Amino acid sequence: MQYKQLLPLALASVAFAQTPSLNDALGSQNSTLSSLNAILESNPQLATSFNNLKNVTILAPSNDALNALVKDNDTATALANSGYLQALLSYHVLNGTYHNTSFSNESVFIHTTLTNSTYTNVTDGQVVEARLNDNNVTFFSALKQNASIITPNVNFTGGTIHIIDSLLSLPLNVTDTLSNSNLTAAEGAINTANLTDSIIDVHNVTIFAPNNDAFDAIGSIVSNLTSDQLISIVGYHVINGSINYSTDLKNSTLTTANGVNITITVENGTIYANSAKVTVPDILLSNGVVHVIDQVLNPNNTSAAPDTTATSATPAFSDASSGTAGVPFTSGVTTPTTTFPAATSAGGPDSSSSSSGAAMPMRTGAVGAAALFGGAAVIVNL
């Protein structure tokens, strides 16, 4: 009996002894991770903090990911900042051990060790979206940019490592997110209502952002809106104090910033806010999430409901039509010069041009390994 009790303990001890440390696990993949290893070697404090991690999943950018050059001075400047680099590396560490078989076609939103309030205002740390995409595990970060696993399940004593083919990007504030997602009318409406700062400062927020086509469809009434009416309309698209990712949106009601409820309906996997369809879910924000919708919500028409049999949705503003002065609220709003995945599918007139440049100030992008290593030398502990 005693031998039977001791045998599992002995086997467990052998198994533990065979699980490498983080240093050894990363070293075993040096042909792919030599750039990351060089960062850790240049900063013993950082290496020690990584080795002390427990029950985590590290998304380790490959050499190609770290060495991809972007000729952008702002990006290089950001990556040379020790606080930014610390935040970036923290965002690549998931809380919990997730092997590649843990993921399915349904998105999960996993908290990371990024909790620095300079870069995130999300309870329990900023998240990464993960799901299967074309049968490969893919992680989505700012502006729906994605990185896929190229080598899974490099186990170490504190969890597991997945080597990924691109750097994750830190989620941006609401202004930069809407701008780079080509949701320029929504950005302009928030600015016009003088609500930008209050939304940026909110801890945990969900925004239903109408695309540019949606704002264009009510262009005829925009000039007649009073300041209070515009504030009420904008507030009707914002949920304060609660982050509702797509997986959290069920048949229910949510109370908006102006105190009026919107009704969430899920029909055959499609999500509606009142009668507006969510066309692009889960664009991550530094303090929450944005869902793109195809109509402007009307706080005076809270009974608007989806008609899934109609060829086109019944507008929430029944007396509105397209105006003659172009898309409302876009005058003076900066047009994005880079097309990100979020903008590609956000809807509305797209005047942005494709570019390999980075969306700043929070977009990570990539710079030459030498510049990255130089900044990494001054990183403090996570």
Side-chain angles (χ1 to χ4, degrees):
M1 179 67 69
Q2 291 178 340
Y3 289 113
K4 291 181 180 178
Q5 292 174 338
L6 291 173
L7 183 58
L9 294 174
L11 291 175
S13 298
V14 171
F16 182 80
Q18 291 176 341
T19 303
S21 68
L22 178 59
N23 278 343
D24 290 341
L26 292 173
S28 72
Q29 305 295 317
N30 196 59
S31 61
T32 308
L33 296 179
S34 58
S35 295
L36 179 61
N37 288 334
I39 292 175
L40 296 176
E41 289 171 7
S42 71
N43 190 319
Q45 286 185 318
L46 179 62
T48 299
S49 68
F50 262 66
N51 271 301
N52 289 333
L53 292 169
K54 301 296 182 185
N55 190 26
V56 296
T57 301
I58 297 176
L59 306 180
S62 68
N63 290 340
D64 287 342
L66 286 173
N67 295 336
L69 293 177
V70 173
K71 296 184 181 299
D72 186 289
N73 291 333
D74 289 337
T75 305
T77 299
L79 285 170
N81 177 286
S82 62
Y84 183 85
L85 275 170
Q86 179 184 349
L88 176 59
L89 291 173
S90 298
Y91 192 49
H92 286 74
V93 180
L94 311 182
N95 287 316
T97 302
Y98 298 89
H99 293 98
N100 67 326
T101 54
S102 303
F103 302 100
S104 68
N105 291 322
E106 182 175 351
S107 291
V108 291
F109 297 86
I110 304 172
H111 290 282
T112 70
T113 59
L114 175 57
T115 58
N116 186 331
S117 60
T118 300
Y119 300 96
T120 184
N121 198 9
V122 172
T123 298
D124 296 326
Q126 185 55 267
V127 305
V128 170
E129 178 186 357
R131 60 178 167 85
L132 287 178
N133 184 41
D134 293 331
N135 295 317
N136 195 10
V137 179
T138 301
F139 301 94
F140 297 86
S141 55
L143 303 173
K144 306 294 280 189
Q145 296 174 97
N146 62 80
S148 296
I149 294 177
I150 54 178
T151 302
N153 306 331
V154 181
N155 295 326
F156 71 105
T157 51
T160 195
I161 302 164
H162 302 307
I163 302 175
I164 56 176
D165 62 2
S166 181
L167 283 167
L168 301 180
S169 298
L170 298 184
L172 315 173
N173 65 34
V174 64
T175 298
D176 293 331
T177 297
L178 295 179
S179 174
N180 286 292
S181 298
N182 197 37
L183 299 169
T184 49
E187 178 192 357
I190 292 172
N191 288 339
T192 304
N194 293 316
L195 294 175
T196 300
D197 289 342
S198 61
I199 292 176
I200 287 176
D201 292 338
V202 168
H203 180 71
N204 298 336
V205 68
T206 302
I207 299 173
F208 293 93
N211 60 30
N212 284 3
D213 281 346
F215 275 101
D216 190 47
I218 66 164
S220 64
I221 66 169
V222 165
S223 62
N224 296 323
L225 294 175
T226 67
S227 175
D228 286 345
Q229 287 173 328
L230 178 59
I231 290 172
S232 177
I233 290 171
V234 171
Y236 193 50
H237 293 75
V238 178
I239 315 297
N240 285 336
S242 175
I243 302 178
N244 299 273
Y245 303 108
S246 59
T247 51
D248 300 315
L249 295 175
K250 312 296 183 183
N251 293 319
S252 61
T253 59
L254 297 172
T255 302
T256 65
N258 68 2
V260 182
N261 286 351
I262 59 174
T263 300
I264 302 299
T265 305
V266 182
E267 291 276 355
N268 298 319
T270 300
I271 301 170
Y272 298 86
N274 291 350
S275 60
K277 180 166 67 174
V278 173
T279 58
V280 183
D282 304 315
I283 302 175
L284 301 179
L285 283 174
S286 60
N287 62 336
V289 69
V290 170
H291 304 296
V292 183
I293 55 177
D294 65 356
Q295 292 183 35
V296 178
L297 304 178
N298 185 351
N300 296 317
N301 185 9
T302 60
S303 63
D307 182 356
T308 57
T309 64
T311 56
S312 60
T314 302
F317 292 85
S318 58
D319 56 341
S321 61
S322 297
T324 58
V327 179
F329 303 115
T330 57
S331 177
V333 176
T334 301
T335 301
T337 58
T338 301
T339 300
F340 293 96
T344 302
S345 52
D350 186 356
S351 59
S352 62
S353 60
S354 180
S355 168
S356 59
M360 295 303 294
M362 295 292 191
R363 162 84 161 98
T364 59
V367 297
L372 189 59
F373 301 160
V378 293
I379 299 178
V380 296
N381 274 335
L382 290 174

